[in-house]
């Protein structure tokens, strides 16, 4: 009985061993390649998916498994399993997370169907290997119009702002330079960028200064005559301007200072005040008495006539000077055909407010200082073709003031 039991047990073990051997021999041999490493496994799994589950291998939906998960297992087959990695991409400012099994950036952009053109910007380069967490940046290029330093051209760019564009094009701005649009403005294919070069320079302009004419009385010179004692000399002043130039064109000009380079020298004119003495020739002999009588009679009549004229034209004496009643008109140096320089050399263009009158030198000596009623103290410094006898012409700064003066009867006193 005991022997029978042992025989049965032995038989069961034998059958089990045979069954195990048959079971093992019926397994398929599969070579699994995982990210470059190989694993050889024996399996009764019917599909690749069953194999992965049997081996406890967790895979992601983005992983690349070949043949496919639903492929049936056959003897001596090879299964390739490439695990996907995560890549962070910024495409024209839009951020994306991409799972990929590509080996290089070039394969990745093919995988996502990204068309990279010549002027587009892509980082990292196409040859870069894909690794976990890789950051990919792509910017598509567009054209903008650039006007700078006298040149106008179209430029391909991927810049987002004017400041970024200038930096990429290596365009430097000076302290005063400006750009349109502003540096912070965003740009696109419709943008025209203009760089304006601004300069601040100093311009010095020299200008001549006319000399004045000064008259001096000369008792040694006959009345009505003049003599130039000293020739005048023009002076010079320098005007300093601050000039702003934009692209070489003057935009503004501001006077900063004026300095004298050379002083002007007055022109000095001597005006005669000596009265001319008349010599009376007397005849000798018998006719002398008659002539003397006649002369005396004539002198008497002349004296009476002179007194009468003096009585009508000279009303009073002021400060030792004679006072005349005259007809006074007015003129201005700023008129058509006028030189602006008086008979005594006074430049009224440079001395618009100077009080000067035109006189008949036989009535009022040139160079005299006079007082004109309603006009003030003036210099008898000019003459005129129509100014004869008791007539004067007063100088006014402007035509309007001369017209307002009109024609008047005024008193003139010779002061000295």
């Amino acid at each position: 009985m005991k022997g029978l039991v042992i025989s049965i047990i032995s038989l069961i073990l034998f059958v089990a061993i045979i069954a195990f051997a048959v079971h093992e021999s019926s397994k398929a041999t599969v070579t699994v390649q995982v990210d470059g490493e190989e694993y050889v496994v024996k399996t009764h799994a019917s599909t690749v998916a069953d194999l992965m589950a049997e081996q406890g291998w967790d895979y992601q939906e983005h992983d690349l498994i070949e043949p496919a998960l639903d492929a049936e297992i056959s003897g001596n087959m090879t299964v390739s399993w490439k695990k996907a990695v995560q890549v962070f991409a910024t495409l024209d400012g839009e951020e994306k997370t991409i799972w990929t099994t590509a080996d290089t950036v070039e394969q990745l952009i093919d995988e996502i169907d990204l068309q990279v053109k010549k002027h587009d910007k892509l980082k990292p380069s196409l040859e870069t290997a894909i690794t976990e967490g890789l950051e990919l940046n792509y910017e598509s290029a567009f054209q903008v119009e650039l006007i700078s330093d006298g040149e106008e051209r179209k430029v391909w760019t991927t810049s987002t702002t004017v400041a970024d564009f200038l930096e990429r094009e290596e365009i430097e701005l000076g302290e005063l330079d400006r750009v349109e649009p502003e540096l912070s403005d965003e740009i696109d294919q419709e943008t025209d960028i203009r760089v304006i070069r601004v300069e601040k320079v100093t311009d010095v302009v020299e200008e001549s200064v006319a000399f004045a004419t000064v008259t001096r009385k000369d008792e040694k010179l006959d009345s009505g005559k003049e003599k130039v004692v000293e020739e005048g000399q023009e002076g010079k002043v320098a005007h300093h301007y601050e000039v702003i130039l934009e692209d070489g064109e003057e935009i503004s000009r501001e006077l900063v200072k004026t300095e004298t380079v050379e002083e002007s020298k007055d022109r000095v004119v001597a005006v005669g005040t000596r009265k001319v003495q008349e010599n009376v020739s007397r005849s000798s002999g018998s006719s002398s008495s008659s002539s003397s009588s006649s002369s005396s009679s004539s002198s008497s009549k002349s004296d009476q006539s002179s007194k009468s004229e003096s009585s009508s034209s000279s009303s009073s004496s002021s400060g030792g000077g004679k006072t005349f009643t005259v007809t006074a008109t007015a003129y201005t140096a700023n008129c058509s055909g006028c030189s602006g320089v008086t008979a005594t050399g006074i430049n009224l263009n440079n001395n618009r407010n100077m009080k000067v009158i035109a006189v008949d030198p036989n009535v009022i000596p040139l160079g005299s200082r006079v007082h004109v009623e309603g006009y003030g103290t003036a210099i008898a410094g000019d003459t005129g073709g129509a100014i004869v006898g008791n007539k004067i012409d007063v100088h006014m700064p402007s035509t309007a003031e001369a017209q307002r003066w009109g024609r008047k009867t005024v008193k003139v006193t010779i002061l000295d």
Side-chain angles (χ1 to χ4, degrees):
M1 185 69 177
K2 183 178 180 181
L4 180 59
V5 172
I6 292 172
S7 296
I8 293 173
I9 292 173
S10 297
L11 180 60
I12 293 173
L13 289 173
F14 176 75
V15 172
I17 291 171
I18 293 301
F20 178 76
V22 171
H23 178 75
E24 288 298 318
S25 63
S26 63
K27 286 183 176 180
T29 300
V30 180
T31 301
V32 181
Q33 297 175 342
V34 183
D35 293 332
E37 295 186 8
E38 289 189 355
Y39 300 91
V40 178
V41 297
K42 291 185 177 293
T43 181
H44 281 126
S46 57
T47 63
V48 173
D50 294 338
L51 172 63
M52 301 294 285
E54 179 184 271
Q55 298 297 321
W57 291 334
D58 293 328
Y59 56 89
Q60 306 295 328
E61 64 173 308
H62 301 290
D63 293 352
L64 178 62
I65 301 174
E66 293 179 337
L69 291 173
D70 58 355
E72 294 184 356
I73 297 293
S74 59
N76 297 320
M77 74 180 297
T78 299
V79 176
S80 175
W81 176 22
K82 191 171 186 180
K83 295 180 180 179
V85 297
Q86 195 176 38
V87 172
F88 301 100
T90 303
L91 309 178
D92 280 333
E94 182 181 356
E95 295 183 353
K96 290 184 177 182
T97 299
I98 301 173
W99 288 91
T100 182
T101 57
D103 293 323
T104 65
V105 170
E106 185 174 15
Q107 292 177 2
L108 172 60
I109 64 174
D110 286 340
E111 187 177 283
I112 62 175
D113 197 25
L114 179 64
Q115 304 295 320
V116 180
K117 298 179 290 295
K118 178 180 178 181
H119 300 285
D120 295 347
K121 185 177 180 181
L122 179 69
K123 287 186 178 180
S125 63
L126 294 173
E127 300 79 15
T128 303
I130 297 295
T131 56
E132 179 69 34
L134 178 74
E135 292 184 359
L136 180 71
N137 191 294
Y138 168 76
E139 297 174 22
S140 58
F142 54 90
Q143 277 190 323
V144 297
E145 188 83 14
L146 172 64
I147 304 172
S148 177
D149 300 313
E151 183 182 358
E152 184 174 341
R153 56 194 174 97
K154 290 187 179 294
V155 179
W156 285 95
T157 185
T158 59
S159 300
T160 54
T161 65
V162 174
D164 182 47
F165 172 82
L166 295 181
E167 183 179 355
R168 293 188 185 185
E169 294 299 315
E170 298 182 348
I171 297 176
E172 296 183 359
L173 295 179
E175 183 180 353
L176 300 176
D177 293 345
R178 59 188 180 87
V179 63
E180 296 174 354
E182 295 184 0
L183 291 172
S184 58
D185 286 358
E186 294 186 353
I187 62 176
D188 55 29
Q189 63 270 19
E190 302 296 328
T191 304
D192 292 341
I193 299 174
R194 182 185 176 196
V195 177
I196 302 163
R197 301 298 185 184
V198 182
E199 296 178 84
K200 182 186 292 184
V201 298
T202 300
D203 185 20
V204 180
V205 179
E206 287 193 352
E207 185 178 276
S208 296
V209 178
F211 55 82
T213 298
V214 178
T215 58
R216 295 178 183 173
K217 291 185 177 182
D218 191 340
E219 296 178 351
K220 297 179 180 180
L221 198 62
D222 289 347
S223 177
K225 293 187 177 181
E226 297 180 1
K227 179 182 178 181
V228 176
V229 180
E230 293 181 18
E231 293 290 348
Q233 181 177 320
E234 290 186 338
K236 285 184 180 179
V237 294
H239 300 294
H240 294 251
Y241 294 92
E242 183 180 85
V243 182
I244 303 297
L245 303 174
E246 290 189 357
D247 289 335
E249 181 180 347
E250 183 175 321
I251 300 301
S252 67
R253 173 179 291 260
E254 180 181 355
L255 180 62
V256 177
K257 67 175 181 178
T258 299
E259 60 181 359
T260 301
V261 177
E262 186 177 349
E263 294 283 357
S264 62
K265 294 182 180 179
D266 293 342
R267 179 173 182 263
V268 180
V269 179
V271 179
T273 60
R274 184 176 63 187
K275 293 183 179 180
V276 180
Q277 299 294 327
E278 293 185 2
N279 294 322
V280 180
S281 298
R282 299 183 181 275
S283 301
S284 58
S286 61
S287 64
S288 174
S289 176
S290 174
S291 177
S292 176
S293 174
S294 175
S295 175
S296 175
S297 174
S298 176
S299 174
S300 175
K301 289 180 182 179
S302 176
D303 286 346
Q304 289 177 0
S305 175
S306 175
K307 286 179 182 179
S308 175
E309 183 180 347
S310 175
S311 175
S312 65
S313 63
S314 176
S315 61
S316 66
S317 176
S318 174
K322 291 183 179 180
T323 299
F324 297 88
T325 299
V326 300
T327 300
T329 53
Y331 74 106
T332 177
N334 184 25
C335 63
S336 177
C338 298
S339 67
V341 180
T342 70
T344 58
I346 300 172
N347 192 331
L348 295 177
N349 287 321
N350 294 336
N351 300 278
R352 291 291 177 86
N353 294 313
M354 190 172 181
K355 290 187 180 295
V356 177
I357 65 172
V359 300
D360 181 347
N362 294 319
V363 178
I364 301 175
L366 281 172
S368 299
R369 194 166 63 92
V370 299
H371 178 80
V372 180
E373 180 184 11
Y375 181 67
T377 302
I379 297 293
D382 205 357
T383 59
I387 307 303
V388 180
N390 285 20
K391 291 183 180 181
I392 65 170
D393 215 3
V394 299
H395 170 254
M396 290 294 186
S398 67
T399 302
E401 290 174 273
Q403 290 173 344
R404 282 198 296 270
W405 176 273
R407 180 184 296 271
K408 300 180 181 181
T409 299
V410 298
K411 290 181 180 181
V412 177
T413 301
I414 300 176
L415 301 177
D416 53 35

